[in-house]
Amino acid sequence: MNIGIDVGGTNIKVGLVNDNGEIVLKHSVPTPKDTAENFKNALENAVEELLKKADFDVDVKAVGIGVPGIVDRENGVLVFSDKIPYGNLNARELFGKKYNAPVCVENDANCAAFGEFSVTEGQKDFVFVTLGTGVGGGIVIDGNLYTGLNGVAAEIGHITTHAGGRDCSCGRKGCLEAYASVTALIDFTKEISDQLNIDPSKITGKTAFEEAKKGNAAALKVRDRWIEEVGIGVASIVNVFQPDEVVIGGAISKEGSVLLDPIRKYVAENDYSAGDPSLPKTKINLSRIREDAGAIGAALLGKKYREQVIK
Amino acid sequence: MNIGIDVGGTNIKVGLVNDNGEIVLKHSVPTPKDTAENFKNALENAVEELLKKADFDVDVKAVGIGVPGIVDRENGVLVFSDKIPYGNLNARELFGKKYNAPVCVENDANCAAFGEFSVTEGQKDFVFVTLGTGVGGGIVIDGNLYTGLNGVAAEIGHITTHAGGRDCSCGRKGCLEAYASVTALIDFTKEISDQLNIDPSKITGKTAFEEAKKGNAAALKVRDRWIEEVGIGVASIVNVFQPDEVVIGGAISKEGSVLLDPIRKYVAENDYSAGDPSLPKTKINLSRIREDAGAIGAALLGKKYREQVIK
């Protein structure tokens, strides 16, 4: 059995994942954000409690950990996040000793991408786009996670889609993230708050979707404009990668076909390969395993790492 | 020896390329654009003349052909170009019979990308961007040409960089190509033709560079603005791929450091990995083998194909 650990800004989710990528047991604890010691203890305890929960003997074959921020893959170290104090935790040492198993660390969006990829069938090339505070992503090429020369590839949110446009959290202007993140959606919704019967401070990513459903014309316009921004990003990805599939994740993916259908339509119209209808086309879908994607992907990357180090 | 054929809108360039990717002999003939028969004859004759030129016995091990437009890789057929009448030529059959060698066909930008990649050392992931009438490209991942699920990936010119902006040749709006192609540079230069002492009909891609060098302020502005558009595209590619290198090709790459330096500067400032100076960075360079890239790449893809079919 493989252990997958998905460290988020709110919770640490841990799961027992078999070699088929099925999560058979899971557990979750809040993420301590005060000290590195508390974070380390919570990480250890979460796994211990998960193993206690199991009513069978668990043979830990591999451990995979996905975290936001910067990791040192080579040494299995959690290096830096602006939200969680890692204290340069050597996770390979910690869990490797404890469970006598290979341990790998990876960026959280990459883990989610690999998790989502694992539930597809017969695919080789795959792009995951996650819409949240920012716009993140992960790329799978020929069945392997693609991370570039320095491990930080797939910053899909930092394609320029509106040169010279809105300020982005990265300090640049006009990035996809400044238009297609849920943060941007909230900003756009706040701009029309006088046309909604809602305290602006209570506006969330759901507001425009909910108010549009109720028939508010301004909310409908904001929602549809934002969805088109997502479509612009996905179409650019399709024109560069022509992958087997693009999957869109993040809590907002729960909006379902209201979100998916117009993205599919936009991409169908803006896919460069549209000129030749005989060519196979990239499938566009919403996340299938949502909150489990990170832990499943981390566990399967752990399994992959095990296969590399133990031959 | 491998034969590389690079079919362009003006000339068919053929070359004898050894397994190290060195072009040892080359030949060029004009590309017939009137009938499929004339095109086929020119293609055959070009190779025959090349072999006649050789003062040694040539053992043809593989043939690679790069062409603009659509190819059927599986069957080795030249399917369609809007400029050259292919007449569904089965190049595998034609050259396979003639030289008793494996034959592969590929898109021309992909061949050039693979050619440029072949003269790098120790690289795995590589992106080629070619600036010309349009903006094309080719992607190499882990040493292999990446073409996606339908063979038409790497349409780098059709990333949206200016959502809702200038009309693109593809029918959409705001594509990178509409801002960073040489066609766009010519358009921008024509817009300031009243500030240049040049007949607008004589404006080429070189004009802004030449007039800027002479001190014309308007030309300088046009040149620098256009170079920044190229930078926007390259930075987006870097943020998605973090490849070992991005190489910029097309005749305009002859402008040298006047073109390259500001692109490097823009990318250094807009590379998402800039936040961590310790991370290795993507190298940005201009084409090293320019007019030979297509034939060399085609020949090496032919060699690769041979290795796949003859095991």
Side-chain angles (χ1 to χ4, degrees):
Chain A
M1 204 61 81
N2 309 289
I3 294 174
I5 306 177
D6 179 19
V7 174
T10 311
N11 292 303
I12 298 172
K13 294 174 202 153
V14 292
L16 280 180
V17 178
N18 65 25
D19 279 0
N20 294 327
E22 290 150 351
I23 195 160
V24 297
L25 196 66
K26 49 188 175 179
H27 184 64
S28 172
V29 300
T31 309
K33 279 176 273 194
D34 48 356
T35 68
E37 202 187 334
N38 284 343
F39 171 72
K40 174 175 170 276
N41 289 337
L43 209 59
E44 284 193 276
N45 291 339
V47 176
E48 272 174 37
E49 284 161 29
L50 172 76
L51 294 174
K52 265 186 222 156
K53 256 187 174 181
D55 56 1
F56 53 94
D57 271 347
V58 179
D59 174 21
V60 178
K61 288 195 196 158
V63 181
I65 309 174
V67 298
I70 299 170
V71 295
D72 172 356
R73 290 179 186 82
E74 209 171 317
N75 299 299
V77 176
L78 312 187
V79 178
F80 176 76
S81 152
D82 56 359
K83 291 177 196 79
I84 307 164
Y86 294 149
N88 254 308
L89 179 66
N90 190 320
R92 180 164 298 154
E93 212 172 272
L94 179 69
F95 290 110
K97 269 189 195 160
K98 208 156 177 178
Y99 302 113
N100 191 27
V103 178
C104 83
V105 300
E106 188 46 79
N107 168 273
D108 55 351
N110 282 339
C111 287
F114 201 70
E116 293 284 353
F117 173 71
S118 76
V119 294
T120 65
E121 254 178 62
Q123 294 195 9
K124 285 166 52 191
D125 309 318
F126 177 90
V127 181
F128 177 63
V129 181
T130 174
L131 308 172
T133 311
V135 173
I139 298 167
V140 174
I141 302 278
D142 209 14
N144 295 306
L145 203 56
Y146 175 83
T147 58
L149 91 156
N150 50 20
V152 300
E155 283 294 348
I156 287 162
H158 303 284
I159 293 174
T160 300
T161 54
H162 292 257
R166 280 168 61 88
D167 288 338
C168 183
S169 64
C170 73
R172 300 165 60 216
K173 280 177 183 297
C175 293
L176 175 63
E177 176 162 307
Y179 291 83
S181 63
V182 174
T183 308
L185 172 59
I186 293 171
D187 286 352
F188 299 150
T189 312
K190 282 183 177 166
E191 284 168 14
I192 57 150
S193 61
D194 59 334
Q195 293 166 73
L196 305 170
N197 261 329
I198 295 168
D199 175 353
S201 71
K202 297 212 169 116
I203 286 173
T204 70
K206 289 182 190 169
T207 307
F209 281 85
E210 282 167 357
E211 297 300 310
K213 213 174 282 173
K214 287 182 200 158
N216 184 299
L220 187 73
K221 210 171 147 189
V222 162
R223 183 196 74 183
D224 290 350
R225 179 230 169 143
W226 180 77
I227 295 175
E228 182 164 312
E229 298 293 351
V230 178
I232 288 170
V234 175
S236 290
I237 290 164
V238 168
N239 287 335
V240 171
F241 288 98
Q242 297 285 345
D244 296 305
E245 188 178 34
V246 174
V247 161
I248 296 159
I252 199 96
S253 67
K254 290 178 190 159
E255 298 294 339
S257 62
V258 176
L259 173 66
L260 182 60
D261 292 350
I263 294 175
R264 281 184 172 164
K265 184 168 179 284
Y266 185 89
V267 175
E269 288 165 359
N270 290 276
D271 177 342
Y272 192 75
S273 85
D276 184 348
S278 74
L279 290 176
K281 303 290 180 237
T282 297
K283 289 193 280 281
I284 316 287
N285 283 301
L286 300 177
S287 170
R288 297 183 177 96
I289 50 172
R290 272 195 217 120
E291 30 292 292
D292 290 341
I296 291 175
L300 291 177
L301 287 169
K303 170 182 178 272
K304 209 158 190 164
Y305 175 69
R306 179 188 81 208
E307 290 161 356
Q308 275 163 18
V309 292
I310 306 175
K311 290 206 180 178
Chain B
M1 206 60 82
N2 309 289
I3 294 174
I5 306 176
D6 178 19
V7 175
T10 311
N11 292 304
I12 298 173
K13 294 173 203 153
V14 291
L16 279 180
V17 178
N18 65 24
D19 278 1
N20 294 326
E22 290 150 351
I23 195 160
V24 297
L25 196 67
K26 49 190 176 178
H27 184 65
S28 172
V29 301
T31 308
K33 279 177 272 195
D34 49 355
T35 69
E37 202 187 333
N38 284 343
F39 171 72
K40 174 175 170 277
N41 290 338
L43 209 58
E44 286 192 274
N45 291 339
V47 176
E48 271 173 41
E49 283 161 29
L50 173 76
L51 294 174
K52 265 187 223 157
K53 256 189 178 180
D55 55 1
F56 54 94
D57 269 347
V58 179
D59 174 21
V60 178
K61 288 194 194 160
V63 180
I65 308 173
V67 298
I70 299 170
V71 295
D72 172 354
R73 288 177 186 81
E74 210 170 320
N75 300 301
V77 176
L78 313 188
V79 178
F80 176 75
S81 153
D82 55 1
K83 291 177 197 78
I84 307 165
Y86 294 149
N88 254 309
L89 179 66
N90 191 321
R92 179 163 299 154
E93 216 172 87
L94 179 69
F95 290 110
K97 269 190 196 159
K98 206 156 179 179
Y99 302 112
N100 191 28
V103 178
C104 84
V105 300
E106 187 48 77
N107 167 275
D108 55 351
N110 283 339
C111 288
F114 202 70
E116 293 284 353
F117 173 71
S118 77
V119 294
T120 66
E121 255 178 61
Q123 295 195 9
K124 285 166 52 192
D125 309 319
F126 176 92
V127 180
F128 178 63
V129 181
T130 175
L131 308 172
T133 311
V135 173
I139 298 168
V140 174
I141 301 280
D142 209 13
N144 295 305
L145 202 57
Y146 175 83
T147 58
L149 92 156
N150 49 21
V152 299
E155 282 295 348
I156 286 160
H158 303 284
I159 294 175
T160 300
T161 54
H162 293 256
R166 277 168 63 89
D167 288 339
C168 182
S169 65
C170 73
R172 300 165 61 217
K173 279 179 184 294
C175 293
L176 175 62
E177 176 162 306
Y179 291 83
S181 62
V182 175
T183 307
L185 172 59
I186 293 170
D187 286 351
F188 299 151
T189 310
K190 283 184 176 167
E191 283 167 16
I192 57 151
S193 62
D194 57 335
Q195 294 166 71
L196 305 170
N197 262 331
I198 295 169
D199 175 354
S201 71
K202 297 212 168 118
I203 286 174
T204 69
K206 289 182 192 170
T207 308
F209 281 85
E210 283 167 356
E211 296 301 310
K213 212 174 283 172
K214 288 182 202 159
N216 184 298
L220 187 73
K221 211 170 144 188
V222 161
R223 183 196 74 183
D224 289 351
R225 180 232 168 139
W226 179 78
I227 294 176
E228 182 165 313
E229 298 293 351
V230 178
I232 288 170
V234 175
S236 291
I237 289 163
V238 168
N239 287 334
V240 170
F241 287 98
Q242 297 286 344
D244 296 305
E245 189 178 34
V246 174
V247 161
I248 297 160
I252 198 97
S253 67
K254 289 179 191 158
E255 297 295 340
S257 61
V258 175
L259 172 66
L260 182 60
D261 292 350
I263 294 176
R264 281 183 171 164
K265 183 166 179 287
Y266 185 89
V267 175
E269 289 165 359
N270 290 276
D271 177 344
Y272 192 76
S273 85
D276 184 346
S278 75
L279 290 176
K281 305 289 181 238
T282 298
K283 290 192 280 281
I284 315 288
N285 283 302
L286 300 177
S287 171
R288 296 182 178 96
I289 50 173
R290 272 195 217 121
E291 32 290 295
D292 290 341
I296 291 176
L300 291 177
L301 287 169
K303 170 182 179 270
K304 210 160 188 159
Y305 175 70
R306 179 189 82 206
E307 290 162 356
Q308 275 164 19
V309 291
I310 306 175
K311 292 205 182 180

